[in-house]
Amino acid sequence: MTDPKIICMGEPMVEFNQTDDTGRYLFGHGGDTSNTAIAAARAGASVGFFSALGADEFGDSFMRLWAENGVDASRIIRRDDAHTGVYFVSHGESGHVFSYLRKGSAASRVRPDDLPRAYIEQADILHLSGISMAISPEACDAALAAIDIARAAGTKVSFDTNLRLKLWPLERARALTDAAMRKADIALPGLEDAEQLVGIGDPDAIADHYLGLGAGIVALTLGKAGCLVATGSERRRVPGIVVDAVDATGAGDTFDGNFLAELHRHGDPFEAARYANAAAALSTCGYGAVTPMPMREKVLEALKAAA
Protein backbone atom coordinates (compact mmCIF):
# COMPACT_ATOMS: atom_id res chain seq x y z
CA MET A 1 0.00 0.00 0.00
CA THR A 2 1.30 3.44 -0.88
CA ASP A 3 1.50 6.00 1.91
CA PRO A 4 -1.99 7.36 2.61
CA LYS A 5 -2.91 10.93 1.77
CA ILE A 6 -5.32 11.54 4.67
CA ILE A 7 -3.96 10.69 8.14
CA CYS A 8 -6.27 10.65 11.16
CA MET A 9 -4.99 10.63 14.73
CA GLY A 10 -6.78 10.08 18.03
CA GLU A 11 -8.27 7.41 20.28
CA PRO A 12 -10.04 4.34 18.89
CA MET A 13 -12.62 2.89 21.31
CA VAL A 14 -14.66 -0.28 21.38
CA GLU A 15 -18.36 0.57 21.44
CA PHE A 16 -21.33 -1.08 23.17
CA ASN A 17 -24.46 0.59 21.79
CA GLN A 18 -27.88 0.13 23.40
CA THR A 19 -30.31 -1.23 20.84
CA ASP A 20 -33.55 -1.26 22.87
CA ASP A 21 -34.86 -0.71 26.40
CA THR A 22 -34.22 -4.31 27.56
CA GLY A 23 -30.55 -3.71 28.28
CA ARG A 24 -29.13 -5.26 25.11
CA TYR A 25 -25.97 -3.70 23.70
CA LEU A 26 -24.47 -4.17 20.25
CA PHE A 27 -20.68 -4.60 20.04
CA GLY A 28 -19.00 -2.23 17.65
CA HIS A 29 -16.17 0.22 17.15
CA GLY A 30 -15.93 3.95 17.73
CA GLY A 31 -13.59 6.76 18.56
CA ASP A 32 -14.21 9.90 16.56
CA THR A 33 -11.09 10.08 14.41
CA SER A 34 -11.06 6.32 13.76
CA ASN A 35 -14.66 6.68 12.60
CA THR A 36 -13.58 9.56 10.38
CA ALA A 37 -10.80 7.47 8.85
CA ILE A 38 -13.19 4.62 8.03
CA ALA A 39 -15.79 7.01 6.62
CA ALA A 40 -13.17 8.59 4.36
CA ALA A 41 -11.95 5.19 3.21
CA ARG A 42 -15.51 4.10 2.36
CA ALA A 43 -15.78 7.29 0.33
CA GLY A 44 -12.80 6.12 -1.70
CA ALA A 45 -9.96 8.10 -0.13
CA SER A 46 -6.44 6.89 0.66
CA VAL A 47 -6.46 6.90 4.47
CA GLY A 48 -4.22 5.98 7.39
CA PHE A 49 -4.70 6.03 11.14
CA PHE A 50 -2.21 6.64 13.94
CA SER A 51 -2.77 5.83 17.61
CA ALA A 52 -1.95 3.22 20.23
CA LEU A 53 -3.94 0.12 21.20
CA GLY A 54 -3.72 -2.35 24.02
CA ALA A 55 -2.29 -5.78 23.27
CA ASP A 56 -5.76 -7.20 23.82
CA GLU A 57 -8.64 -8.66 21.82
CA PHE A 58 -10.32 -5.27 21.52
CA GLY A 59 -7.13 -3.92 19.96
CA ASP A 60 -6.95 -6.92 17.63
CA SER A 61 -10.52 -6.23 16.54
CA PHE A 62 -9.54 -2.70 15.51
CA MET A 63 -6.64 -3.99 13.45
CA ARG A 64 -9.06 -6.29 11.64
CA LEU A 65 -11.60 -3.49 11.20
CA TRP A 66 -9.10 -1.11 9.62
CA ALA A 67 -7.77 -3.84 7.34
CA GLU A 68 -11.31 -4.71 6.20
CA ASN A 69 -12.00 -1.05 5.39
CA GLY A 70 -8.74 -0.29 3.62
CA VAL A 71 -7.37 2.00 6.35
CA ASP A 72 -3.60 1.78 6.72
CA ALA A 73 -2.71 0.91 10.33
CA SER A 74 0.98 0.22 9.82
CA ARG A 75 2.04 2.89 12.32
CA ILE A 76 -0.27 1.79 15.15
CA ILE A 77 1.53 1.18 18.47
CA ARG A 78 0.52 -1.91 20.49
CA ARG A 79 1.06 -1.78 24.26
CA ASP A 80 0.95 -4.64 26.74
CA ASP A 81 0.87 -2.24 29.71
CA ALA A 82 -2.35 -0.39 28.72
CA HIS A 83 -5.83 -1.28 27.51
CA THR A 84 -7.90 -0.30 24.51
CA GLY A 85 -10.58 2.23 25.45
CA VAL A 86 -14.26 1.28 25.75
CA TYR A 87 -17.51 3.29 25.77
CA PHE A 88 -21.22 2.60 26.09
CA VAL A 89 -24.03 4.45 24.30
CA SER A 90 -27.51 4.60 25.82
CA HIS A 91 -30.55 6.26 24.24
CA GLY A 92 -33.34 8.31 25.80
CA GLU A 93 -35.68 11.22 25.20
CA SER A 94 -32.77 13.68 25.27
CA GLY A 95 -30.75 11.72 22.71
CA HIS A 96 -27.73 9.47 23.07
CA VAL A 97 -25.61 9.42 26.24
CA PHE A 98 -21.99 8.24 26.37
CA SER A 99 -20.29 6.46 29.28
CA TYR A 100 -16.54 5.86 29.04
CA LEU A 101 -13.93 3.42 30.35
CA ARG A 102 -10.85 5.12 28.95
CA LYS A 103 -8.62 6.31 31.82
CA GLY A 104 -5.07 5.13 31.22
CA SER A 105 -5.87 3.75 27.78
CA ALA A 106 -3.05 3.03 25.35
CA ALA A 107 -4.08 5.97 23.16
CA SER A 108 -3.99 8.37 26.10
CA ARG A 109 -0.32 7.48 26.64
CA VAL A 110 0.88 8.55 23.19
CA ARG A 111 3.65 11.14 23.49
CA PRO A 112 5.29 13.47 20.96
CA ASP A 113 8.28 11.11 20.67
CA ASP A 114 5.89 8.38 19.46
CA LEU A 115 4.73 10.33 16.41
CA PRO A 116 5.46 8.89 12.93
CA ARG A 117 7.01 12.08 11.59
CA ALA A 118 7.66 10.95 8.01
CA TYR A 119 4.18 9.43 7.79
CA ILE A 120 2.61 12.80 8.66
CA GLU A 121 4.96 14.76 6.43
CA GLN A 122 4.07 12.82 3.28
CA ALA A 123 0.30 13.19 3.77
CA ASP A 124 -1.89 15.85 2.19
CA ILE A 125 -4.22 16.18 5.20
CA LEU A 126 -3.82 15.48 8.94
CA HIS A 127 -7.09 15.25 10.87
CA LEU A 128 -7.46 15.54 14.64
CA SER A 129 -10.14 16.59 17.11
CA GLY A 130 -10.70 18.08 20.52
CA ILE A 131 -10.99 14.55 21.89
CA SER A 132 -7.54 13.75 20.47
CA MET A 133 -6.23 16.47 22.79
CA ALA A 134 -8.51 16.03 25.80
CA ILE A 135 -7.83 12.43 26.78
CA SER A 136 -4.56 13.26 28.58
CA PRO A 137 -1.86 15.95 28.83
CA GLU A 138 0.53 13.61 26.96
CA ALA A 139 -1.96 13.11 24.13
CA CYS A 140 -2.55 16.86 23.95
CA ASP A 141 1.17 17.49 23.60
CA ALA A 142 1.36 14.80 20.91
CA ALA A 143 -1.56 16.28 18.98
CA LEU A 144 -0.06 19.78 19.01
CA ALA A 145 3.33 18.38 17.99
CA ALA A 146 1.70 16.47 15.11
CA ILE A 147 0.06 19.70 13.94
CA ASP A 148 3.43 21.46 13.97
CA ILE A 149 5.03 18.61 11.99
CA ALA A 150 2.22 18.81 9.43
CA ARG A 151 2.41 22.57 9.02
CA ALA A 152 6.18 22.51 8.58
CA ALA A 153 5.80 19.90 5.83
CA GLY A 154 2.93 21.63 4.02
CA THR A 155 0.41 19.01 5.11
CA LYS A 156 -2.99 20.64 5.63
CA VAL A 157 -4.46 20.37 9.12
CA SER A 158 -8.13 19.51 9.69
CA PHE A 159 -9.59 19.94 13.18
CA ASP A 160 -13.01 19.03 14.61
CA THR A 161 -13.88 20.69 17.92
CA ASN A 162 -15.76 17.60 19.22
CA LEU A 163 -16.16 19.00 22.72
CA ARG A 164 -16.47 16.49 25.59
CA LEU A 165 -16.70 18.31 28.91
CA LYS A 166 -16.38 15.01 30.80
CA LEU A 167 -12.76 15.00 29.62
CA TRP A 168 -11.66 18.55 30.42
CA PRO A 169 -13.02 21.83 31.84
CA LEU A 170 -14.52 24.35 29.45
CA GLU A 171 -11.84 27.01 29.92
CA ARG A 172 -9.05 24.55 29.09
CA ALA A 173 -11.06 23.26 26.13
CA ARG A 174 -11.54 26.80 24.85
CA ALA A 175 -7.87 27.69 25.13
CA LEU A 176 -6.49 24.54 23.53
CA THR A 177 -9.16 24.27 20.85
CA ASP A 178 -8.42 27.82 19.75
CA ALA A 179 -4.69 27.04 19.86
CA ALA A 180 -5.25 24.13 17.48
CA MET A 181 -7.63 26.09 15.29
CA ARG A 182 -5.04 28.85 14.83
CA LYS A 183 -2.94 26.26 13.02
CA ALA A 184 -5.79 24.53 11.15
CA ASP A 185 -6.50 24.91 7.46
CA ILE A 186 -9.87 23.15 7.66
CA ALA A 187 -12.13 23.86 10.65
CA LEU A 188 -14.92 21.33 11.30
CA PRO A 189 -16.87 22.60 14.32
CA GLY A 190 -20.33 21.47 15.36
CA LEU A 191 -22.91 24.12 16.26
CA GLU A 192 -23.51 22.90 19.83
CA ASP A 193 -19.78 22.68 20.51
CA ALA A 194 -19.10 26.10 19.04
CA GLU A 195 -21.87 27.73 21.06
CA GLN A 196 -20.00 26.70 24.22
CA LEU A 197 -16.46 27.19 22.95
CA VAL A 198 -17.01 30.54 21.27
CA GLY A 199 -19.88 31.80 23.43
CA ILE A 200 -22.12 32.81 20.52
CA GLY A 201 -24.99 31.04 18.77
CA ASP A 202 -25.10 32.68 15.35
CA PRO A 203 -23.65 30.32 12.73
CA ASP A 204 -22.23 33.13 10.61
CA ALA A 205 -20.51 34.67 13.61
CA ILE A 206 -19.07 31.26 14.52
CA ALA A 207 -17.76 30.85 10.99
CA ASP A 208 -16.23 34.32 11.20
CA HIS A 209 -14.52 33.37 14.45
CA TYR A 210 -12.77 30.35 12.96
CA LEU A 211 -11.92 32.14 9.73
CA GLY A 212 -10.43 34.87 11.87
CA LEU A 213 -8.22 32.35 13.65
CA GLY A 214 -6.76 31.39 10.28
CA ALA A 215 -8.78 28.56 8.76
CA GLY A 216 -9.16 28.68 4.99
CA ILE A 217 -12.33 26.56 5.09
CA VAL A 218 -14.96 26.31 7.82
CA ALA A 219 -17.67 23.65 7.62
CA LEU A 220 -20.01 24.19 10.55
CA THR A 221 -22.41 21.27 10.98
CA LEU A 222 -26.00 22.21 11.87
CA GLY A 223 -27.59 18.80 12.50
CA LYS A 224 -30.70 18.18 10.43
CA ALA A 225 -30.31 21.64 8.89
CA GLY A 226 -27.15 20.56 7.04
CA CYS A 227 -24.12 22.80 7.36
CA LEU A 228 -22.70 26.24 6.75
CA VAL A 229 -19.57 26.31 4.63
CA ALA A 230 -17.46 29.45 4.62
CA THR A 231 -14.21 30.48 3.00
CA GLY A 232 -12.52 33.85 2.89
CA SER A 233 -14.49 34.79 -0.22
CA GLU A 234 -17.78 32.87 -0.10
CA ARG A 235 -20.24 31.15 2.21
CA ARG A 236 -23.31 28.98 1.69
CA ARG A 237 -25.87 27.03 3.68
CA VAL A 238 -25.76 23.48 2.32
CA PRO A 239 -28.92 21.48 3.13
CA GLY A 240 -28.98 17.81 4.01
CA ILE A 241 -31.31 15.03 2.89
CA VAL A 242 -34.31 13.67 4.81
CA VAL A 243 -34.03 10.14 6.26
CA ASP A 244 -35.69 8.03 8.96
CA ALA A 245 -32.99 8.41 11.61
CA VAL A 246 -32.62 5.98 14.52
CA ASP A 247 -29.11 6.72 15.88
CA ALA A 248 -26.88 9.72 15.24
CA THR A 249 -23.85 8.36 17.12
CA GLY A 250 -21.47 8.51 14.17
CA ALA A 251 -23.07 11.25 12.07
CA GLY A 252 -20.52 13.96 12.79
CA ASP A 253 -17.57 11.66 12.19
CA THR A 254 -19.17 10.41 8.98
CA PHE A 255 -19.54 14.01 7.83
CA ASP A 256 -15.87 14.72 8.58
CA GLY A 257 -14.56 11.68 6.73
CA ASN A 258 -16.70 12.19 3.67
CA PHE A 259 -16.04 15.94 3.60
CA LEU A 260 -12.28 15.40 3.70
CA ALA A 261 -12.41 12.62 1.12
CA GLU A 262 -14.42 14.72 -1.32
CA LEU A 263 -12.42 17.87 -0.67
CA HIS A 264 -9.24 15.92 -1.38
CA ARG A 265 -10.84 14.48 -4.52
CA HIS A 266 -11.79 17.76 -6.21
CA GLY A 267 -11.10 20.72 -3.92
CA ASP A 268 -14.63 22.21 -3.85
CA PRO A 269 -15.73 22.61 -0.21
CA PHE A 270 -19.37 23.29 -1.11
CA GLU A 271 -19.75 20.14 -3.18
CA ALA A 272 -17.82 18.23 -0.51
CA ALA A 273 -20.35 19.43 2.08
CA ARG A 274 -23.30 18.38 -0.09
CA TYR A 275 -21.85 14.90 -0.38
CA ALA A 276 -20.89 14.71 3.32
CA ASN A 277 -24.36 15.84 4.45
CA ALA A 278 -25.92 12.94 2.54
CA ALA A 279 -23.41 10.43 3.92
CA ALA A 280 -23.98 11.68 7.48
CA ALA A 281 -27.75 11.40 7.09
CA LEU A 282 -27.47 7.82 5.81
CA SER A 283 -25.27 6.91 8.77
CA THR A 284 -28.16 7.68 11.16
CA CYS A 285 -30.33 4.93 9.65
CA GLY A 286 -28.69 2.16 11.67
CA TYR A 287 -27.23 1.63 15.13
CA GLY A 288 -23.60 2.21 16.02
CA ALA A 289 -20.87 4.50 14.81
CA VAL A 290 -19.25 2.41 12.09
CA THR A 291 -21.68 -0.21 10.78
CA PRO A 292 -24.17 2.27 9.20
CA MET A 293 -21.51 4.40 7.51
CA PRO A 294 -22.35 4.26 3.80
CA MET A 295 -20.12 3.28 0.91
CA ARG A 296 -19.65 5.80 -1.88
CA GLU A 297 -22.19 4.13 -4.18
CA LYS A 298 -24.98 4.51 -1.61
CA VAL A 299 -24.24 8.18 -1.12
CA LEU A 300 -24.30 8.86 -4.85
CA GLU A 301 -27.61 7.00 -5.13
CA ALA A 302 -29.09 9.08 -2.30
CA LEU A 303 -27.92 12.34 -3.86
CA LYS A 304 -29.40 11.35 -7.21
CA ALA A 305 -32.73 10.45 -5.58
CA ALA A 306 -32.79 13.75 -3.68
CA ALA A 307 -32.00 15.88 -6.75
Short mmCIF file of all heavy atoms in Angstrom, two decimals, residues 15-19 25 87-91 96-99 247 249:
data_model
loop_
_atom_site.label_atom_id
_atom_site.label_comp_id
_atom_site.label_asym_id
_atom_site.label_seq_id
_atom_site.Cartn_x
_atom_site.Cartn_y
_atom_site.Cartn_z
N GLU A 15 -17.04 0.01 21.15
CA GLU A 15 -18.36 0.57 21.44
C GLU A 15 -19.36 -0.52 21.80
O GLU A 15 -19.42 -1.57 21.16
CB GLU A 15 -18.86 1.32 20.20
CG GLU A 15 -20.30 1.81 20.29
CD GLU A 15 -20.79 2.31 18.94
OE1 GLU A 15 -20.62 3.50 18.68
OE2 GLU A 15 -21.32 1.50 18.16
N PHE A 16 -20.15 -0.26 22.84
CA PHE A 16 -21.33 -1.08 23.17
C PHE A 16 -22.54 -0.16 23.11
O PHE A 16 -22.69 0.74 23.94
CB PHE A 16 -21.18 -1.74 24.54
CG PHE A 16 -20.13 -2.81 24.58
CD1 PHE A 16 -18.83 -2.51 24.98
CD2 PHE A 16 -20.42 -4.11 24.19
CE1 PHE A 16 -17.85 -3.49 25.00
CE2 PHE A 16 -19.46 -5.09 24.21
CZ PHE A 16 -18.16 -4.78 24.61
N ASN A 17 -23.36 -0.34 22.08
CA ASN A 17 -24.46 0.59 21.79
C ASN A 17 -25.80 -0.05 22.13
O ASN A 17 -26.14 -1.12 21.64
CB ASN A 17 -24.42 0.96 20.30
CG ASN A 17 -25.19 2.22 20.00
OD1 ASN A 17 -26.34 2.36 20.40
ND2 ASN A 17 -24.56 3.14 19.28
N GLN A 18 -26.57 0.63 22.98
CA GLN A 18 -27.88 0.13 23.40
C GLN A 18 -28.83 0.08 22.20
O GLN A 18 -28.99 1.06 21.49
CB GLN A 18 -28.47 1.05 24.47
CG GLN A 18 -29.78 0.55 25.06
CD GLN A 18 -30.33 1.51 26.10
OE1 GLN A 18 -29.98 2.69 26.11
NE2 GLN A 18 -31.17 1.00 26.97
N THR A 19 -29.43 -1.07 21.99
CA THR A 19 -30.31 -1.23 20.84
C THR A 19 -31.79 -1.16 21.19
O THR A 19 -32.62 -0.95 20.31
CB THR A 19 -30.04 -2.57 20.13
OG1 THR A 19 -30.25 -3.64 21.06
CG2 THR A 19 -28.61 -2.63 19.61
N TYR A 25 -26.96 -4.59 24.31
CA TYR A 25 -25.97 -3.70 23.70
C TYR A 25 -25.31 -4.40 22.53
O TYR A 25 -24.99 -5.59 22.59
CB TYR A 25 -24.90 -3.29 24.72
CG TYR A 25 -25.37 -2.25 25.70
CD1 TYR A 25 -26.16 -2.61 26.80
CD2 TYR A 25 -25.05 -0.91 25.53
CE1 TYR A 25 -26.60 -1.65 27.71
CE2 TYR A 25 -25.48 0.05 26.43
CZ TYR A 25 -26.25 -0.33 27.51
OH TYR A 25 -26.70 0.61 28.40
N TYR A 87 -16.40 2.41 25.36
CA TYR A 87 -17.51 3.29 25.77
C TYR A 87 -18.85 2.62 25.50
O TYR A 87 -18.95 1.71 24.68
CB TYR A 87 -17.43 4.66 25.08
CG TYR A 87 -17.77 4.68 23.62
CD1 TYR A 87 -19.05 5.02 23.18
CD2 TYR A 87 -16.81 4.41 22.65
CE1 TYR A 87 -19.36 5.07 21.83
CE2 TYR A 87 -17.11 4.46 21.30
CZ TYR A 87 -18.39 4.79 20.89
OH TYR A 87 -18.69 4.83 19.56
N PHE A 88 -19.85 3.09 26.22
CA PHE A 88 -21.22 2.60 26.09
C PHE A 88 -22.11 3.76 25.64
O PHE A 88 -21.93 4.90 26.07
CB PHE A 88 -21.73 2.07 27.43
CG PHE A 88 -20.98 0.88 27.95
CD1 PHE A 88 -19.77 1.04 28.62
CD2 PHE A 88 -21.46 -0.41 27.76
CE1 PHE A 88 -19.06 -0.06 29.09
CE2 PHE A 88 -20.77 -1.51 28.22
CZ PHE A 88 -19.56 -1.33 28.90
N VAL A 89 -23.07 3.45 24.77
CA VAL A 89 -24.03 4.45 24.30
C VAL A 89 -25.43 4.00 24.72
O VAL A 89 -25.87 2.90 24.38
CB VAL A 89 -24.00 4.60 22.77
CG1 VAL A 89 -24.93 5.74 22.34
CG2 VAL A 89 -22.59 4.87 22.27
N SER A 90 -26.11 4.85 25.48
CA SER A 90 -27.51 4.60 25.82
C SER A 90 -28.37 5.67 25.16
O SER A 90 -27.89 6.75 24.82
CB SER A 90 -27.72 4.58 27.33
OG SER A 90 -27.26 5.79 27.91
N HIS A 91 -29.66 5.36 24.98
CA HIS A 91 -30.55 6.26 24.24
C HIS A 91 -31.77 6.60 25.09
O HIS A 91 -32.33 5.73 25.77
CB HIS A 91 -30.99 5.62 22.93
CG HIS A 91 -29.85 5.22 22.05
ND1 HIS A 91 -29.28 6.08 21.14
CD2 HIS A 91 -29.14 4.07 21.97
CE1 HIS A 91 -28.29 5.47 20.54
NE2 HIS A 91 -28.18 4.25 21.02
N HIS A 96 -28.65 10.52 22.64
CA HIS A 96 -27.73 9.47 23.07
C HIS A 96 -26.80 9.99 24.16
O HIS A 96 -26.39 11.15 24.17
CB HIS A 96 -26.94 8.89 21.89
CG HIS A 96 -26.31 9.89 20.99
ND1 HIS A 96 -26.97 10.50 19.96
CD2 HIS A 96 -25.05 10.38 20.95
CE1 HIS A 96 -26.16 11.32 19.32
NE2 HIS A 96 -25.00 11.27 19.91
N VAL A 97 -26.46 9.09 25.10
CA VAL A 97 -25.61 9.42 26.24
C VAL A 97 -24.41 8.47 26.22
O VAL A 97 -24.57 7.27 26.05
CB VAL A 97 -26.38 9.28 27.57
CG1 VAL A 97 -25.46 9.57 28.75
CG2 VAL A 97 -27.58 10.21 27.59
N PHE A 98 -23.22 9.02 26.41
CA PHE A 98 -21.99 8.24 26.37
C PHE A 98 -21.45 8.01 27.78
O PHE A 98 -21.42 8.94 28.60
CB PHE A 98 -20.92 8.97 25.55
CG PHE A 98 -21.27 9.13 24.10
CD1 PHE A 98 -22.04 10.21 23.66
CD2 PHE A 98 -20.83 8.21 23.16
CE1 PHE A 98 -22.35 10.37 22.32
CE2 PHE A 98 -21.15 8.37 21.81
CZ PHE A 98 -21.90 9.44 21.40
N SER A 99 -20.98 6.79 28.04
CA SER A 99 -20.29 6.46 29.28
C SER A 99 -18.96 5.80 28.89
O SER A 99 -18.94 4.88 28.07
CB SER A 99 -21.12 5.49 30.13
OG SER A 99 -22.37 6.06 30.47
N ASP A 247 -30.28 6.58 15.01
CA ASP A 247 -29.11 6.72 15.88
C ASP A 247 -28.08 7.62 15.21
O ASP A 247 -27.56 7.28 14.15
CB ASP A 247 -28.51 5.33 16.17
CG ASP A 247 -27.26 5.40 17.04
OD1 ASP A 247 -27.02 6.45 17.68
OD2 ASP A 247 -26.52 4.40 17.09
N THR A 249 -25.13 8.49 16.44
CA THR A 249 -23.85 8.36 17.12
C THR A 249 -22.67 8.75 16.24
O THR A 249 -21.78 9.48 16.67
CB THR A 249 -23.65 6.91 17.62
OG1 THR A 249 -24.69 6.58 18.53
CG2 THR A 249 -22.30 6.75 18.29
#
